[in-house]
Amino acid sequence: MDVRGLGAALADLVLPGGCAGCDAPAELWCPACAAATAAPRRVALTGLPPTLAAGPYAGPLRTALLRYKERGRRDLVGSLAAVLASGLTGPAQLVPAPSRARAARARGGDHVLRLCRAVADAGPGVRVAPVLVLGGGAVDSVGLDAGQRAANLRGRVGVRPIGRPGNGAPVLLVDDVVTTGATLRTCVAALRDAGIRVDGVLVLCDATGACGS
C-alpha cells in the first residue's frame, strides 16, 4: 500500500462515519446508493452452476466493498451482507470461497466468511458451511488472466472433512467478486470431487461484464 492509500485507510478507521458508498452523513448505506446497486443479476459464465451477483463492481458498491475488505471497515459488514442477501430466495447453505491465509491475517479475518455469517445471522434458514481451504503457494490474483488464475489455484483448494453441508437447503458457493470465474470453477470442482453438489453461486459484485437475463 502506498502512502496515499495508507492515509485513506487511516482516515476510514479514525472517521468511519457516513455512507460507505458516497460519504453522505448519518447512514452506513444511504437510499441513493442502495438504488444505484440495482437488482441482482445473472452472470453468464461457462462451467458454473447458475450464478447471481447482487450488484456491479462499480460505483458505490465497489467503494463500499474496498473499504470493508482493504481498509478495515468492519462496521460495513451488515450493510454489505444485506446487499448480498438480496440474491437469496429462501433457505440456503453458504460455502465461502477461501482466502489466502496471509491476506486474511492482513484483513483481520476472512472477509467472505464474515459476510456469510452476517447473512446467516439475519436470515432464517441460512447456515454457513466454511469447508473450503486454500493451501500455501497461491499468490494474489489481482492482474492475472483466467488461465493464470486457474493455474494459481490448481491443486491448492481442499475440502475439510467436518462441517460439510447437509441434505436439504440448496448449497451456494459465495465470493465477494467474480472476475473471470476461475476461482469459482476451481471451488466448484473441489466440492464436487468431495461429493458436495453446488446448486448455485452467489457473489456480491460482478466484474465480468457478462450479465445474462
Side-chain angles (χ1 to χ4, degrees), residues 19 30-31 43 50 68 96 102 113 120 127 160-162 185 187 189 191:
C19 174
C30 74
V43 181
Y68 163 68
R102 181 177 179 181
L113 174 59
R127 66 175 290 252
R160 294 187 180 97
I162 59 174
R185 292 186 192 96
C187 292
L191 291 165

Side-chain angles (χ1 to χ4, degrees), residues 68-90:
Y68 163 68
K69 180 177 178 179
E70 306 295 353
R71 298 184 179 178
R73 287 287 305 272
R74 293 193 191 182
D75 58 319
L76 303 180
V77 66
S79 299
L80 290 175
V83 176
L84 182 65
S86 67
L88 294 178
T89 57

Side-chain angles (χ1 to χ4, degrees), residues 95-99 131-136 138 149-160 173 182-194:
V95 178
S99 296
V131 295
L132 287 173
V133 293
L134 184 60
R149 286 170 183 255
N152 185 40
L153 295 176
R154 190 170 295 123
R156 295 189 171 100
V157 177
V159 179
R160 294 187 180 97
L173 175 64
T183 298
L184 297 174
R185 292 186 192 96
T186 302
C187 292
V188 167
L191 291 165
R192 182 190 61 221
D193 291 345

Side-chain angles (χ1 to χ4, degrees), residues 17-166:
C19 174
C22 70
D23 295 320
E27 296 180 89
L28 283 178
W29 194 239
C30 74
C33 286
T37 302
R41 77 274 305 280
R42 289 284 297 271
V43 181
L45 289 172
T46 59
L48 286 175
T51 301
L52 197 69
Y57 189 59
L61 186 55
R62 178 180 182 275
T63 298
L65 174 59
L66 290 176
R67 287 177 169 176
Y68 163 68
K69 180 177 178 179
E70 306 295 353
R71 298 184 179 178
R73 287 287 305 272
R74 293 193 191 182
D75 58 319
L76 303 180
V77 66
S79 299
L80 290 175
V83 176
L84 182 65
S86 67
L88 294 178
T89 57
Q93 301 177 84
L94 307 182
V95 178
S99 296
R100 293 183 301 121
R102 181 177 179 181
R105 287 194 298 270
R107 293 168 181 151
D110 188 320
H111 67 290
V112 177
L113 174 59
R114 191 184 300 119
L115 272 177
C116 288
R117 285 175 170 163
V119 171
D121 287 344
V126 179
R127 66 175 290 252
V128 184
V131 295
L132 287 173
V133 293
L134 184 60
V139 300
D140 191 339
S141 62
V142 174
L144 302 182
D145 62 24
Q148 291 168 331
R149 286 170 183 255
N152 185 40
L153 295 176
R154 190 170 295 123
R156 295 189 171 100
V157 177
V159 179
R160 294 187 180 97
I162 59 174
R164 293 157 60 106

